[in-house]
Amino acid sequence: MHVLVTGGAGYIGSHTVVTLIGAGHRVTVVDDLSNSSEESLRRVGELTGQPVAFHRLDVRDRRGLDEMFARAASSGHPVEAVIHFAGLKAVGESVVEPVRYYDVNVGSAVVLLAAMHDAGVRRIVFSSSATVYGDPVCVPIPEDAVVQPANPYGRTKAVIEGLLRDVAASGTGWQVSLLRYFNPVGAHPSGRIGEDPTGTPNNLLPFVAQVAVGRRREVAIFGDDYDTPDGTGVRDYIHVVDLALGHVAALDRPPAPGTPLVVNLGTGTGASVLEVIRTFSEVAGVPVPYRIAPRRPGDVAACYADVSVATEVLGWKAQRSLADACADTWRWQRSNPNGYR
Ligand code: NAD
Ligand code: WQD
């Protein structure tokens, strides 16, 4: 299948492109490189043995998208499905710049759907997030749990999910899959591609990796007085290669037109901040100093997925452990201490 991957130069997108090509799909990437580097795609090309078809484009650029769809069609390989990763994802930044978040995230979705409509492409897989559950009413979280995002970033995801539900219900043949990722971590086992945050990492694993490699002094653990076994926050860390395989499964098993398929992509198991630090330190064989800091505003005690829909409907299950994710992150971090730069 010819798959258009928006945001394909980014962290999850680049790993998914490797997996799609490995599964025999034809891939075209559009990305404006606002949070990534073309070097990731060059390395994807190295890993897959073929250069990646790439258009540097803002997804809100309607004319650019139209030209891309038209070129694919006239080459005899029309785009058949879209995986839509492109967007902004920093929770804290979204609180300060909500308008930019709605503009980029919701604006991109609207323009992309309009261009897909006119190009006759009716199949979309969308990167949603467990953040739509906000402070979850129960764990593990099933897909029918209430959607109550607690920040502007999460609300952009909820708005796009709503838009896609309406599109699916329009009676015009759309097949929509909404994938809600939990906490993506890890890197390709080659150590050639991985997560490359700019500035201070917001997420735990990249921060731990930068401490382990000596770029930062210690990890601040945001709270040790949560109602969890060791008092630190519990999350569902899903290896990015498993996540990539989840996208291939979603393409292989689209829902019938009418109602979107909503699927949690997680492992189904939670790990605490202390467990993550301990596992990373053991796997890397280096100390990871930490201190206990105050809670981070907006954090919840525990968040992990009920993965039964993914197993039953997609036939997909995460195979890689937290130790695998730490080992792969460490390999990537050690061989690329400054990421792609
Ligand atoms: P990322 O920032 O590495 O990748 C996003 C890519 O989209 C980047 O390459 C960026 O340059 C590109 N992009 C941004 N705005 C664009 C635009 N207007 N036009 C074209 N390209 C644009 O992030 P990621 O971690 O790979 O996340 C991918 C998707 O998954 C995002 O939609 C994110 O919200 C979602 N998600 C991520 C996580 C996570 O923790 N990483 C969790 C849940 C959901
Ligand atoms: C994990 C745990 C922190 C950093 C975020 C987004 C979510 C989704 C995934 C996009 C928590 C603790 C962290 C640190 C720490 N992204 N922590 N010290 O907050 O679960 O989810 O990324 O959709 O929307 O909110 O992930 O990696 O930031 O935190 O103690 O320096 O690690 O308190 O318990 P989070 P995270």
Side-chain angles (χ1 to χ4, degrees), residues 54-146:
F54 170 58
H55 301 272
R56 184 171 184 170
L57 203 67
D58 187 316
V59 178
R60 292 166 297 173
D61 173 356
R62 176 64 199 271
R63 188 189 298 193
L65 277 187
D66 287 347
E67 283 171 10
M68 192 281 310
F69 281 120
R71 227 175 295 147
S74 63
S75 73
H77 300 287
V79 172
E80 296 157 276
V82 176
I83 303 182
H84 182 40
F85 292 107
L88 304 176
K89 62 164 183 178
V91 171
E93 194 179 68
S94 79
V95 173
V96 182
E97 299 180 80
V99 176
R100 185 161 76 95
Y101 268 67
Y102 278 83
D103 183 10
V104 174
N105 290 2
V106 179
S108 294
V110 169
V111 173
L112 174 65
L113 289 166
M116 286 175 69
H117 177 270
D118 287 359
V121 185
R122 295 281 183 276
R123 199 153 154 188
I124 185 164
V125 174
F126 173 61
S127 297
S128 190
S129 168
T131 203
V132 299
Y133 298 118
D135 193 351
V137 285
C138 64
V139 281
I141 312 172
E143 286 84 354
D144 59 5
V146 60

Side-chain angles (χ1 to χ4, degrees), residues 256-312:
T259 311
L261 174 63
V262 185
V263 191
N264 287 337
L265 294 184
T267 65
T269 310
S272 74
V273 179
L274 277 169
E275 280 177 81
V276 170
I277 293 175
R278 209 174 303 126
T279 306
F280 198 99
S281 178
E282 278 168 19
V283 162
V286 298
V288 176
Y290 63 82
R291 70 182 162 87
I292 305 300
R295 288 183 179 194
R296 183 172 66 178
D299 272 354
V300 301
C303 175
Y304 52 94
D306 179 330
V307 292
S308 40
V309 172
T311 313
E312 285 156 25

Side-chain angles (χ1 to χ4, degrees), residues 4-304:
L4 171 66
V5 180
T6 75
Y11 171 45
I12 305 170
S14 56
H15 290 81
T16 303
V17 172
V18 171
T19 307
L20 286 169
I21 292 172
H25 293 291
R26 175 186 289 268
V27 172
T28 296
V29 168
V30 303
D31 197 303
D32 67 359
L33 304 181
S34 56
N35 195 39
S36 53
S37 128
E38 206 172 340
E39 176 63 12
S40 69
L41 292 176
R42 201 191 59 74
R43 294 189 188 186
V44 168
E46 223 176 70
L47 289 171
T48 59
Q50 56 189 87
V52 180
F54 170 58
H55 301 272
R56 184 171 184 170
L57 203 67
D58 187 316
V59 178
R60 292 166 297 173
D61 173 356
R62 176 64 199 271
R63 188 189 298 193
L65 277 187
D66 287 347
E67 283 171 10
M68 192 281 310
F69 281 120
R71 227 175 295 147
S74 63
S75 73
H77 300 287
V79 172
E80 296 157 276
V82 176
I83 303 182
H84 182 40
F85 292 107
L88 304 176
K89 62 164 183 178
V91 171
E93 194 179 68
S94 79
V95 173
V96 182
E97 299 180 80
V99 176
R100 185 161 76 95
Y101 268 67
Y102 278 83
D103 183 10
V104 174
N105 290 2
V106 179
S108 294
V110 169
V111 173
L112 174 65
L113 289 166
M116 286 175 69
H117 177 270
D118 287 359
V121 185
R122 295 281 183 276
R123 199 153 154 188
I124 185 164
V125 174
F126 173 61
S127 297
S128 190
S129 168
T131 203
V132 299
Y133 298 118
D135 193 351
V137 285
C138 64
V139 281
I141 312 172
E143 286 84 354
D144 59 5
V146 60
V147 167
Q148 48 178 12
N151 55 67
Y153 162 69
R155 282 188 280 273
T156 67
K157 291 293 182 190
V159 167
I160 299 165
E161 284 199 2
L163 166 62
L164 285 166
R165 277 178 204 282
D166 289 337
V167 165
S170 62
T172 51
W174 283 81
Q175 294 173 299
V176 174
S177 304
L178 308 177
L179 306 185
R180 294 177 178 162
Y181 317 151
F182 279 66
N183 291 60
V185 289
H188 191 269
S190 64
R192 296 296 290 154
I193 58 172
E195 187 169 10
D196 183 19
T198 42
T200 307
N202 295 310
N203 295 113
L204 179 63
L205 236 287
F207 202 102
V208 168
Q210 291 192 6
V211 171
V213 84
R215 255 173 88 176
R216 297 178 193 278
R217 206 160 53 90
E218 60 185 8
V219 182
I221 297 183
F222 298 144
D224 67 347
D225 56 353
Y226 284 105
D227 184 15
T228 59
D230 65 19
T232 66
V234 166
R235 297 290 184 274
D236 187 336
Y237 296 96
I238 165 93
H239 195 297
V240 67
V241 172
D242 280 327
L243 199 57
L245 287 163
H247 290 76
V248 177
L251 277 183
D252 286 347
R253 301 194 187 185
T259 311
L261 174 63
V262 185
V263 191
N264 287 337
L265 294 184
T267 65
T269 310
S272 74
V273 179
L274 277 169
E275 280 177 81
V276 170
I277 293 175
R278 209 174 303 126
T279 306
F280 198 99
S281 178
E282 278 168 19
V283 162
V286 298
V288 176
Y290 63 82
R291 70 182 162 87
I292 305 300
R295 288 183 179 194
R296 183 172 66 178
D299 272 354
V300 301
C303 175
Y304 52 94

